């Protein structure tokens, strides 16, 4: 498992604490420092079963600067959204856990973290 976090985020810290409490084997990725490229974002979106606008933090200042709320949310604009997430990783919703079974979850709740934990292999 890998968890994409921003250490300043309380939901990220809570998710890491729960993973630790459950003895999970995972890797931390501070995605603001180790920025995912467009290919990685596409792969995570596939694992999540979501579109880029579904994991975009539209309340961030940079989202306002880019005018993201006005961007179309359709297949034809998907690459534009992914490029924005790669260029401005602060826009990526957090934390994201990539589970051992090839799926991923946006782990903003204890239930979502436990869902990712339930997908561990060899437990």
């Amino acid at each position: 498992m890998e968890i994409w976090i921003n250490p300043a985020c309380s939901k990220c810290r809570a998710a890491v604490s729960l993973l630790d409490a459950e003895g999970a084997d995972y890797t931390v990725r501070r995605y603001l420092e180790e920025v995912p490229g467009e290919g990685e974002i596409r792969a995570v979106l596939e694992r999540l079963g979501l579109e880029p606008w579904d994991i975009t933090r539209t309340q961030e200042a940079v989202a306002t600067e880019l005018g993201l709320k006005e961007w179309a949310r359709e297949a034809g604009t998907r690459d534009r959204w992914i490029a924005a997430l790669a260029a401005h990783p602060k826009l990526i919703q957090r934390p994201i856990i990539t589970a051992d079974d090839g799926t991923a979850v946006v782990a903003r709740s204890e239930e979502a973290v436990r869902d990712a934990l339930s997908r561990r292999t060899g437990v």
Side-chain angles (χ1 to χ4, degrees):
M1 266 194 295
E2 182 176 76
I3 182 169
W4 292 10
I5 68 161
N6 172 354
C9 167
S10 62
K11 298 223 183 258
C12 292
R13 291 190 308 270
V16 167
S17 291
L18 182 53
L19 292 174
D20 287 343
E22 294 295 326
D25 182 21
Y26 66 95
T27 303
V28 170
R29 179 171 185 170
R30 294 178 179 213
Y31 72 94
L32 297 178
E33 298 164 16
E34 208 180 320
V35 179
E38 291 183 27
E40 287 179 285
I41 292 169
R42 279 187 176 79
V44 163
L45 287 167
E46 174 127 354
R47 292 175 79 163
L48 287 165
L50 297 173
E51 294 294 339
W53 45 84
D54 296 327
I55 65 162
T56 300
R57 298 172 54 82
T58 58
Q59 302 304 316
E60 293 291 337
V62 70
T64 303
E65 291 169 23
L66 294 172
L68 287 182
K69 287 187 179 179
E70 286 76 45
W71 289 15
R73 296 175 181 215
E74 59 194 22
T77 61
R78 191 170 198 269
D79 289 343
R80 183 181 186 198
W81 283 86
I82 290 169
L85 292 173
H88 307 281
K90 194 169 190 180
L91 293 173
I92 300 171
Q93 189 59 264
R94 59 188 184 251
I96 293 176
I97 298 175
T98 56
D100 290 345
D101 69 352
T103 62
V105 296
V106 178
R108 295 191 54 76
S109 67
E110 180 178 333
E111 293 78 24
V113 176
R114 291 195 182 283
D115 181 34
L117 285 167
S118 74
R119 301 173 190 200
R120 288 186 288 183
T121 56
V123 178

